[in-house]
């Protein structure tokens, strides 16, 4: 049977930590808790489950804290959990079976993460595979009978285990502050982090956040060696920023750049719907909200091709006195559910 170290980083997790640990503690051979500055009873709760509790000075870098927690592990595998996760009875059994039968050549196990969309996270699926269990020490091996080489790709197993994500609060303000700190300090955001930054802005960005993001994404848009995906992200954020500024010429400049590149997407049509709705030009707004739902697909957040734009249609039809149409779209928005990743 495989042995597993549970590695967690925590801060002020008093409301959820016990729930999490109760659901997984008996599956673990070692529990490592790294606290990044709790001021509540988080460490006292953790002490009921383990004596391996470490303090780590928070630097605004989650990767550094994760790496520190992994450095304390001693078992064959490391399970990485957040305090707002829960393993129900069915998936507890699945995890136990996995532990009993895990082949030693498997280096990463992916598990399904559930409960994303109802909690305002940046992810576009309510159920998606994520790497959760990692072999602590990797054995490199040679492959190919001729022109032999060392296998560098990890062997990944997609399990049927489902982890329920039940956050108590949004972390958008914290995350946006970290992005802005990186920008202010001149740090380079990878393509992956720029995408997460754009997604977080779309869902939770304030006027102040967008004023900081505006200059950053303008630099990205006009930089060399970016692809159309990166251009699309930048154009979406810039269109919204200039709509917030009531700068119609700049707003339409970025809207038209998007359309001219053949990059039509729900987020851009939604922004046009918002623009005309704010001008009380409801018939025009209806056209763009309709296009956002029925004539395009979302790029950064699936809600823009679904309930957000359907709610816009309902508001616009109500504003022009078409209550039955408004009711129909409001019901569609209420009943809307995204297509799940399988």
């Amino acid at each position: 049977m495989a042995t597993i170290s549970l590695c967690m980083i925590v801060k002020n997790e008093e409301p959820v930590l016990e729930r999490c640990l109760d659901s997984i503690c008996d599956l673990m051979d070692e529990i490592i808790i790294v606290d990044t500055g709790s001021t509540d009873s988080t460490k006292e709760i953790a002490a009921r489950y383990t004596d391996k509790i470490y303090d780590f000075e928070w630097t605004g870098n989650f990767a550094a804290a994760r790496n520190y927690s992994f450095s304390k592990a001693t078992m064959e595998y490391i399970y990485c959990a957040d305090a707002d996760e829960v393993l129900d009875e069915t998936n507890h059994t699945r995890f136990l079976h996995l532990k009993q039968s895990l082949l030693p050549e498997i280096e990463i196990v992916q598990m399904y993460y559930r409960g994303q969309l109802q909690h305002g996270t940046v992810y576009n699926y309510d159920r998606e595979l994520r790497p959760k269990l990692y072999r602590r020490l990797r054995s490199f091996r040679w492959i190919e009978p001729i022109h032999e080489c060392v296998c560098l790709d990890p062997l990944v197993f997609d399990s049927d285990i489902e982890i329920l994500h039940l956050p108590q609060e949004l972390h958008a303000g914290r995350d946006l502050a970290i992005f802005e700190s990186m920008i202010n300090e001149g740090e380079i955001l990878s393509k992956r982090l720029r995408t997460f930054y754009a997604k977080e802005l779309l869902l939770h960005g304030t006027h102040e956040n967008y004023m900081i993001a505006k200059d950053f994404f303008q630099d990205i848009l006009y930089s060399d060696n970016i692809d159309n995906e990166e251009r699309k992200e930048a154009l979406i954020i810039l269109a919204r920023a200039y709509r917030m500024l009531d700068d119609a010429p700049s707003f339409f400049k970025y809207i038209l750049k998007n359309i001219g590149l053949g990059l039509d997407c729900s987020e851009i049509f939604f922004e046009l719907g918002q623009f005309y709705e704010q001008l009380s030009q409801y018939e025009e707004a209806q056209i763009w909200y309709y296009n956002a739902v029925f004539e395009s697909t979302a790029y950064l957040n699936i809600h823009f091709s679904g309930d957000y734009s359907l709610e816009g249609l309902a508001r616009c039809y109500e504003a022009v006195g078409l209550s039955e149409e408004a009711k129909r779209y409001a019901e569609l928005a209420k009943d809307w559910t995204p297509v799940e990743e399988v």
Side-chain angles (χ1 to χ4, degrees):
M1 182 185 296
T3 59
I4 304 175
S5 298
L6 171 63
C7 289
M8 300 179 67
I9 59 172
V10 297
K11 182 178 180 180
N12 293 336
E13 304 290 2
E14 180 181 331
V16 294
L17 183 58
E18 183 176 15
R19 180 185 68 184
C20 173
L21 289 172
D22 279 347
S23 75
I24 57 175
C25 64
D26 61 312
L27 296 167
M28 303 297 146
D29 300 281
E30 176 180 59
I31 297 177
I32 293 160
I33 306 291
V34 171
D35 189 273
T36 62
S38 293
T39 56
D40 62 5
S41 63
T42 292
K43 291 169 72 174
E44 288 78 7
I45 295 170
R48 299 179 205 155
Y49 300 86
T50 182
D51 60 357
K52 296 183 177 181
I53 302 171
Y54 303 91
D55 291 312
F56 183 83
E57 184 177 353
W58 179 242
T59 62
N61 188 322
F62 282 97
R66 295 280 188 204
N67 286 334
Y68 180 75
S69 72
F70 274 33
S71 75
K72 300 297 181 182
T74 63
M75 299 297 152
E76 295 173 277
Y77 285 86
I78 297 173
Y79 180 61
C80 182
D82 289 328
D84 55 8
E85 297 175 6
V86 177
L87 207 62
D88 64 19
E89 184 176 348
T90 297
N91 290 288
H92 182 280
T93 301
R94 290 173 178 169
F95 201 126
L96 178 60
H97 291 164
L98 172 74
K99 182 177 180 180
Q100 292 169 336
S101 59
L102 190 59
L103 297 175
E105 57 265 32
I106 293 174
E107 295 170 313
I108 295 175
V109 177
Q110 296 203 116
M111 302 176 186
Y112 284 99
Y113 214 57
R114 294 197 67 108
Q116 296 288 76
L117 290 171
Q118 63 264 45
H119 296 292
T121 64
V122 299
Y123 297 96
N124 282 332
Y125 295 97
D126 199 56
R127 179 176 181 266
E128 62 176 359
L129 279 169
R130 289 191 182 183
K132 294 293 290 182
L133 187 67
Y134 307 86
R135 190 163 186 84
R136 185 173 65 87
L137 298 177
R138 186 176 183 189
S139 298
F140 289 99
R141 59 192 184 278
W142 291 88
I143 57 172
E144 309 293 7
I146 189 171
H147 300 299
E148 68 280 4
C149 63
V150 172
C151 179
L152 299 177
D153 295 328
L155 183 57
V156 179
F157 172 67
D158 294 343
S159 75
D160 61 353
I161 298 168
E162 298 185 351
I163 301 162
L164 191 59
H165 184 216
L166 299 174
Q168 299 291 300
E169 60 182 11
L170 289 173
H171 301 299
R174 176 202 67 190
D175 294 348
L176 286 168
I178 291 174
F179 284 124
E180 290 168 1
S181 176
M182 293 177 70
I183 291 168
N184 290 335
E185 293 173 10
E187 294 186 42
I188 302 298
L189 269 64
S190 66
K191 180 179 177 180
R192 174 177 175 271
L193 278 186
R194 291 198 298 269
T195 298
F196 274 106
Y197 183 29
K199 287 182 174 184
E200 200 72 75
L201 283 164
L202 271 187
L203 280 179
H204 306 296
T206 64
H207 186 277
E208 182 181 357
N209 294 139
Y210 271 94
M211 295 310 99
I212 295 171
K214 173 174 62 67
D215 293 338
F216 174 80
F217 281 99
Q218 279 178 331
D219 289 342
I220 295 297
L221 182 63
Y222 295 109
S223 62
D224 296 328
N225 301 318
I226 66 167
D227 58 30
N228 278 351
E229 291 182 353
E230 295 168 283
R231 289 188 181 91
K232 185 184 290 189
E233 290 174 0
L235 289 167
I236 290 168
I237 297 305
L238 290 168
R240 173 165 289 195
Y242 282 103
R243 178 176 60 78
M244 286 181 164
L245 286 169
D246 295 322
D247 183 344
S250 295
F251 171 74
F252 279 104
K253 178 175 77 171
Y254 292 113
I255 291 286
L256 291 172
K257 279 182 180 292
N258 182 86
I259 294 172
L261 289 169
L263 301 176
D264 301 350
C265 60
S266 300
E267 290 89 345
I268 287 292
F269 291 145
F270 177 87
E271 290 303 319
L272 284 162
Q274 291 271 283
F275 178 84
Y276 286 110
E277 184 181 0
Q278 289 170 355
L279 293 176
S280 300
Q281 296 183 23
Y282 299 111
E283 289 85 356
E284 190 70 22
Q286 289 166 22
I287 294 171
W288 296 110
Y289 284 135
Y290 183 93
N291 275 286
V293 179
F294 300 108
E295 302 296 337
S296 59
T297 56
Y299 179 64
L300 286 172
N301 191 284
I302 198 169
H303 285 284
F304 289 90
S305 62
D307 54 340
Y308 290 1
S309 297
L310 289 165
E311 289 165 357
L313 280 167
R315 290 193 303 271
C316 290
Y317 277 107
E318 188 66 42
V320 297
L322 296 175
S323 297
E324 286 301 312
E325 283 294 295
K327 181 180 178 182
R328 182 168 75 88
Y329 282 114
E331 289 174 352
L332 285 174
K334 182 181 178 182
D335 296 338
W336 176 83
T337 54
V339 176
E340 285 197 348
E341 186 181 64
V342 294

